[in-house]
Amino acid sequence: MRTTPVIAIHGGAGTISAAALDASAAAAYHDALRTIVLAGQALLLRGASALDAVCLAVEMLEDCPLFNAGHGAVFTSAETHELDAAVMDGAELRAGAVAGVSRVRHPVHAARAVMDDGAHVLLAGAGAEAFARGRGLEMVEPEYFSTEARREQLRRARAEGRVALDHDGAARAAALSTAPLDETNKFGTVGAVALDRRSHLAAATSTGGMTNKRVGRIGDSPLIGAGTYADDKRAAVSCTGSGEMFIRTAAAYDVCARMRYAGQSLAQAAHAVIMQAVPAIGGSGGLIAIDRAGNVCLPFNTEGMYRGHARGAEAPHTAIHR
Ligand code: ASP
């Protein structure tokens, strides 16, 4: 009997206050999440691989005007963009990632190309861009990623001397602003995990990083084992949150390690990482995960996390707050 496919996506976690998200903005997020889950679900139901499904979902999230990956990425302290992305195939533990790119329209495609090429796992900066160009991927000017809303977030973060998680910056900007929040603002690192008909798992993550980050800073998203991990024998995991703490706790891999060495269920392992290990060193955020049996776990220790998932041909579920 073939496995029932499952897909889950996230659009980042953080402070998603009522001030930053009125009813119509919330509806727009639900619609976007639903559309993207439906696209990934349809692909899986046609027999596509988990790998193709997570790449499609992340590509759509990168293009979506509501999330912080691709167009609308946050700014570094130098008012530039440095995007990170990773993809991992749980079947053979193949992985690819790019870090600090600012000219590749879809960083997840570049990560996939690195994986398919097979020689390396992680390419950074100009070398990653040259590789992507050589593979025929769509290139853009760095300004393509810029939006006025992100510039405003950077101004706030600079004024307060902070390096901000995307949603926290957005919420703060909304709280401080007298103008109504622009509903076209884009918030949130994105990711997808999937289980396909052949029982293979895959994960992908893409981000603009954190507002006001230092030039050259690389977050957890493109680091295999930190922000992204997939192993057919355990789970597929994509994280979002304060990247440094996810790196220090090897968060995505820790979910799989707890399942493997401690015999924990997906739910136990994912909750231990997000509710204990990451906050124990001051980290905040969440993750999405699917195990080999198709269990889905979407824990977060922040006010909210944009998320959605679907099992088989069932209607997708989407959620923002608890
Ligand atoms: N984890 C990402 C980073 O640190 C940020 C996010 O999840 O929004 O780059």
Side-chain angles (χ1 to χ4, degrees):
M1 207 181 86
R2 291 192 303 173
T3 304
T4 300
V6 186
I7 184 163
I9 65 171
H10 72 76
T15 307
I16 304 173
S17 67
L21 195 74
D22 64 19
S24 70
Y29 276 101
H30 281 288
D31 279 354
L33 291 166
R34 206 181 111 78
T35 301
I36 295 168
V37 170
L38 280 171
Q41 178 185 35
L43 202 61
L44 288 169
L45 289 172
R46 290 202 298 272
S49 67
L51 190 60
D52 284 343
V54 296
C55 287
L56 173 70
V58 170
E59 175 200 310
M60 292 177 74
L61 286 158
E62 285 175 341
D63 275 347
C64 178
L66 296 171
F67 302 103
N68 159 34
H71 180 58
V74 296
F75 282 99
T76 67
S77 59
E79 224 160 310
T80 54
H81 301 290
E82 295 184 349
L83 312 179
D84 302 335
V87 60
M88 185 158 184
D89 178 1
E92 293 171 53
L93 305 184
R94 291 187 311 137
V98 292
V101 297
S102 56
R103 293 172 183 277
V104 186
R105 177 169 175 195
H106 293 113
V108 72
H109 289 176
R112 175 75 185 263
V114 171
M115 187 186 86
D116 289 342
D117 179 67
H120 304 297
V121 168
L122 173 60
L123 294 181
E129 286 169 357
F131 173 82
R133 189 176 285 113
R135 294 285 146 153
L137 297 188
E138 186 177 349
M139 306 301 286
V140 292
E141 289 304 312
E143 297 70 44
Y144 164 80
F145 300 107
S146 303
T147 60
E148 199 39 49
R150 294 298 183 198
R151 235 181 269 279
E152 179 55 25
Q153 261 180 260
L154 174 64
R155 272 183 219 119
R156 301 272 181 202
R158 273 178 173 167
E160 295 170 25
R162 291 177 305 111
V163 176
L165 243 193
D166 183 31
H167 299 303
D168 294 350
R172 215 180 265 238
L176 293 171
S177 172
T178 50
L181 190 83
D182 176 3
E183 286 170 20
T184 59
N185 280 359
K186 305 170 179 74
F187 311 124
T189 283
V190 306
V193 292
L195 172 71
D196 66 28
R197 290 240 190 249
R198 294 182 190 79
S199 301
H200 293 312
L201 289 164
T205 311
S206 181
T207 188
M210 293 174 72
T211 299
N212 204 24
K213 67 183 181 181
R214 246 180 228 284
V215 170
R217 178 266 189 185
I218 293 170
D220 59 311
S221 308
L223 301 184
I224 300 303
T228 307
Y229 200 76
D231 176 355
D232 274 7
K233 295 195 183 68
R234 319 288 161 205
V237 183
S238 172
C239 301
T240 171
S242 44
E244 281 68 15
M245 288 67 165
F246 283 76
I247 295 171
R248 289 163 58 197
T249 53
Y253 181 74
D254 193 30
V255 172
C256 295
R258 286 169 186 272
M259 295 171 74
R260 179 172 184 181
Y261 302 123
Q264 292 184 351
S265 67
L266 177 72
Q268 289 170 332
H271 279 94
V273 169
I274 292 302
M275 302 305 177
Q276 292 160 23
V278 168
I281 57 168
S284 66
L287 61 79
I288 57 171
I290 297 178
D291 70 12
R292 55 191 297 204
N295 294 304
V296 175
C297 195
L298 316 166
F300 52 95
N301 60 32
T302 49
E303 259 180 53
M305 180 170 78
Y306 296 99
R307 59 201 188 279
H309 72 280
R311 176 182 310 283
E314 290 171 14
H317 299 269
T318 60
I320 300 173
H321 293 100
R322 264 165 228 294

